[in-house]
Amino acid sequence: MGTGYMLHCPQCNYQTLFFLGIGFAYPLVYAETQEKGNRGELGEDIKEFFSEHPDGVIDPVPAIFQCEKCNQYDTAPSLRMYIPDETKLPRKKIDGSWSIAMPFHGEDYVAPGGFEDNFIFYKEHMHSCERCGGKMKFIANENDIEKLKCPNCKDQFLDVEEYMNWD
């Protein structure tokens, strides 16, 4: 499911909008992200990761990042890299349907939240800020949305003003 949040700072009136999640098309987005990573379209670090770990996977789910230079927030696909956990049973293709609209029967994908179940975190992909070119660091996923502080005030928590779901 996709989720949108509008956050607001009650102190300085800073406002931001986050769109997280993917929705019904998740298996398709997952497969396209893995393919782009293998082809080198998502960065040299991910291409190198797949050449060293052909059984590795990258997380396509959007997460919240913050620029270390200008402090602004942004959302982007996580692209965190994972390698299989050899202590777990080998994962199987998904047997059931993802959804009625996008069934994806028998497709090979890792469901959202399933990366930690069968994989070991390997490496963080470094995103760049579209505003100033600074390094973006992973701040939060959807579970931590209420812990975000205003990038201007720095100590003021942002209020969730609006919330919506799609798919």
Side-chain angles (χ1 to χ4, degrees):
M1 175 167 300
T3 310
Y5 296 92
M6 182 182 292
L7 283 81
H8 174 259
C9 177
Q11 190 168 315
C12 74
N13 286 328
Y14 169 82
Q15 193 170 302
T16 189
L17 191 60
F18 295 129
F19 292 106
L20 303 170
I22 295 174
F24 286 144
Y26 176 82
L28 178 63
V29 172
Y30 172 86
E32 288 173 349
T33 303
Q34 306 311 302
E35 290 170 13
K36 286 179 182 179
N38 270 305
R39 289 192 304 259
E41 296 175 27
L42 299 176
E44 196 58 39
D45 60 334
I46 293 176
K47 183 178 181 181
E48 186 177 304
F49 166 73
F50 277 121
S51 69
E52 293 173 9
H53 304 282
D55 54 352
V57 295
I58 52 176
D59 184 354
V61 176
I64 301 167
F65 294 85
Q66 187 173 29
C67 180
E68 294 178 347
K69 189 174 176 183
C70 71
N71 286 329
Q72 293 302 303
Y73 290 113
D74 204 356
T75 55
S78 163
L79 303 181
R80 293 174 134 204
M81 297 167 246
Y82 293 85
I83 56 174
D85 185 344
E86 302 299 330
T87 66
K88 307 271 176 141
L89 293 173
R91 70 186 176 120
K92 298 177 182 174
K93 289 188 184 237
I94 305 295
D95 292 330
S97 175
W98 174 256
S99 72
I100 294 170
M102 301 286 240
F104 295 101
H105 290 286
E107 294 296 322
D108 186 17
Y109 61 89
V110 179
F115 292 92
E116 287 79 19
D117 294 342
N118 295 306
F119 295 89
I120 298 168
F121 174 73
Y122 179 78
K123 187 178 173 186
E124 189 85 41
H125 172 72
M126 292 307 300
H127 294 273
S128 295
C129 180
E130 292 181 5
R131 292 172 194 87
C132 72
K135 287 201 288 189
M136 301 289 285
K137 67 177 184 173
F138 175 83
I139 291 294
N141 58 28
E142 193 169 351
N143 299 330
D144 300 321
I145 197 94
E146 294 180 354
K147 298 176 186 173
L148 297 179
K149 292 186 177 180
C150 177
N152 299 330
C153 300
K154 301 202 181 12
D155 62 346
Q156 176 67 47
F157 285 100
L158 296 172
D159 292 335
V160 177
E161 293 284 313
E162 293 183 35
Y163 170 83
M164 67 176 162
N165 286 320
W166 66 88
D167 279 356

